[in-house]
């Protein structure tokens, strides 16, 4: 089955801010899966960083996904700029003093993943009203504002379970991020609590340490943590892992694909390399996200069986010898 792998989202907050392009290049070369962009307005948190214009300038430097973490008082006012700047996901804080739903909807309307974050003292229950609109929950394990603080393990231990519960409605692609104080001492604990995306800032920029080794080490420790985790010891399935579901002639593969996609689950159709049909075209293969394999089987297994029978009839109708 799907082997789990922790994803490392590198925060460049503690990089040389005079040379962010270089920071992005370095963390990507070191193997980071994503870039975590800490946006601060000096109002929601007592610090300022950079804005959408900087993000836009960094966007062409890499193809690695950009996760924006908006620690700002008015996300609704600026969310459009971050969408335009090319962020793949945008997470903001549930503690803001303005309506939250429209901003989540705007992010979705732009086809990006939407997330909400909770400060250490905010309970996960504050996210309940928005659960259906969430792709990402980001649990802060330090007070937002500065890199280099110590990890609050008790905060994560208390929140990780309820946060995963809130994301359960998402058949695939729900992500639990932990942000603050993640390093080689804390990654394993976070992995054991079922976190899948690990924001790592200052640990990557410690003088004298090899950044690539640090990424590998933190990821391996987080993966190790999955083994003791709440998922019956099974690692979480990465959101991008696909698994084969059916092999059918093209016209029948399309029918099954349409049926599954109508429920909101993405299907990938690939030209197979198996048997050649009597019409000279090989069967096609349908792949579904591994995290929803059981669900797809339960709801579309019967259709698959029917189409497989139809395929046999269709092949026979050619009357070909073999
Ligand atoms: C804090 C930021 C974090 C932080 C992570 O407000 O949201 O992303 O930069 O840095 P470390 O890993 O040093 O805690
Ligand atoms: Zn952050």
């Amino acid at each position: 089955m799907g082997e789990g792998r922790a994803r490392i989202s590198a925060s460049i907050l503690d990089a040389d801010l005079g040379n962010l392009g270089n920071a992005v290049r370095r963390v990507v070369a070191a193997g980071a899966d994503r870039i975590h962009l800490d946006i601060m307005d000096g109002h929601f948190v007592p610090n300022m960083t950079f804005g959408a214009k900087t993000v836009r300038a960094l966007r062409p430097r890499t193809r690695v996904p950009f996760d924006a973490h908006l620690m700002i008082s008015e996300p609704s006012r600026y969310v459009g700029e971050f969408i335009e700047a090319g962020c793949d996901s945008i997470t903001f804080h549930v503690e803001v003093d303005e309506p939250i739903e429209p901003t989540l909807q705007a992010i979705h309307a732009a086809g990006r993943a939407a997330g909400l974050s909770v400060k250490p003292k905010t309970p996960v229950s504050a996210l309940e009203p928005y659960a259906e609109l969430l792709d990402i929950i980001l649990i802060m394990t330090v007070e937002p504002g500065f890199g280099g603080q110590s990890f609050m393990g008790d905060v994560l231990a208390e929140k990780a379970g309820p946060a995963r519960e809130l994301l359960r409605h998402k058949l695939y692609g729900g992500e639990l991020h932990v942000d603050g104080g993640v390093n080689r001492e804390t990654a394993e604990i976070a992995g054991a609590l079922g976190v899948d995306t690990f924001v790592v800032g200052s640990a990557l920029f410690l003088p004298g340490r090899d950044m690539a080794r640090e990424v590998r080490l933190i990821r391996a420790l987080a993966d190790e943590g999955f083994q003791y985790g709440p998922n019956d010891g099974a690692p979480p399935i990465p959101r991008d892992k696909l698994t084969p579901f059916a092999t059918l002639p093209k016209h029948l593969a399309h029918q099954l694909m349409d049926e599954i996609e109508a429920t909101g689950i993405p299907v990938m159709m690939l030209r197979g390399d198996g048997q050649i049909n009597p019409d000279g075209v090989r069967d096609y293969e349908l792949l579904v996200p591994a995290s929803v394999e059981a669900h797809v089987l339960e709801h579309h297994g019967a259709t698959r069986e029917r189409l497989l029978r139809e395929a046999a009839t269709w092949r026979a109708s050619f009357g070909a010898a073999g």
Side-chain angles (χ1 to χ4, degrees):
M1 294 299 274
E3 74 291 349
R5 211 200 70 174
R7 278 149 297 175
I8 306 296
S9 197
S11 161
I12 52 176
L13 182 61
D14 272 5
D16 172 6
L17 292 185
N19 200 347
L20 279 181
N22 187 48
V24 167
R25 189 191 56 73
R26 280 184 69 205
V27 297
V28 171
D33 301 287
R34 325 255 195 101
I35 310 288
H36 177 96
L37 298 156
D38 287 306
I39 312 298
M40 307 185 188
D41 64 356
H43 187 253
F44 183 79
V45 286
N47 194 11
M48 289 192 207
T49 53
F50 43 83
K53 222 174 158 192
T54 305
V55 175
R56 182 203 292 263
L58 293 173
R59 185 61 283 190
R61 305 269 177 143
T62 177
R63 298 174 67 165
V64 162
F66 276 8
D67 291 332
H69 176 198
L70 307 186
M71 287 160 275
I72 64 178
S73 299
E74 293 181 276
S76 64
R77 183 163 163 195
Y78 297 101
V79 70
E81 290 181 28
F82 287 96
I83 289 169
E84 270 200 21
C87 296
D88 297 273
S89 79
I90 298 176
T91 295
F92 59 100
H93 273 264
V94 73
E95 298 89 357
V96 295
D97 199 9
E98 62 169 28
I100 286 186
E101 257 184 61
T103 306
L104 292 171
Q105 280 158 348
I107 298 168
H108 278 155
R112 318 298 165 85
L116 280 175
S117 177
V118 279
K119 293 195 208 177
K121 289 193 192 77
T122 307
V124 166
S125 59
L127 303 177
E128 271 163 24
Y130 317 106
E132 295 288 312
L133 292 168
L134 295 182
D135 305 300
I136 294 171
I137 292 179
L138 184 152
I139 298 177
M140 292 289 320
T141 40
V142 298
E143 286 299 338
F146 301 91
Q149 308 177 69
S150 323
F151 181 72
M152 300 176 173
D154 47 339
V155 168
L156 186 64
E158 189 186 315
K159 292 182 179 179
R164 280 198 322 274
E165 259 329 294
L166 278 192
L167 288 171
R168 208 172 277 282
H169 69 92
K170 276 204 75 80
L171 285 172
Y172 67 93
E175 296 182 351
L176 183 58
H177 295 210
V178 64
D179 185 6
V182 178
N183 55 35
R184 48 165 92 171
E185 274 85 45
T186 57
E188 191 171 352
I189 305 165
L193 291 166
V195 169
D196 47 75
T197 305
F198 298 73
V199 178
V200 188
S202 53
L204 297 181
F205 295 95
L206 292 176
R209 284 214 185 147
D210 176 338
M211 193 186 279
R213 179 161 189 268
E214 215 58 32
V215 169
R216 286 195 303 273
L217 204 55
I218 292 171
R219 184 185 288 131
L221 285 162
D223 281 344
E224 183 67 19
F226 290 158
Q227 308 303 322
Y228 314 111
N231 205 16
D232 289 333
I237 302 171
R239 77 185 274 175
D240 44 7
K241 185 171 170 66
L242 294 165
T243 192
F245 180 65
T247 305
L248 287 164
K250 192 175 185 184
H251 65 292
L252 299 174
H254 263 296
Q255 284 184 33
L256 185 55
M257 178 169 170
D258 291 348
E259 180 183 297
I260 299 170
E261 289 212 320
T263 69
I265 294 171
V267 179
M268 185 182 282
M269 184 157 125
L270 294 177
R271 192 193 299 271
D273 55 5
Q275 67 163 322
I276 298 188
N277 286 306
D279 63 353
V281 180
R282 288 185 201 273
D283 280 343
Y284 276 68
E285 214 174 327
L286 296 184
L287 297 100
V288 298
S291 54
V292 287
E293 188 183 6
H295 172 94
V296 172
L297 186 62
E298 189 186 332
H299 290 85
H300 307 279
T303 306
R304 179 177 72 177
E305 294 316 307
R306 176 173 63 72
L307 293 173
L308 285 170
R309 285 195 302 274
E310 227 175 278
T313 314
W314 174 77
R315 285 189 194 102
S317 74
F318 277 88

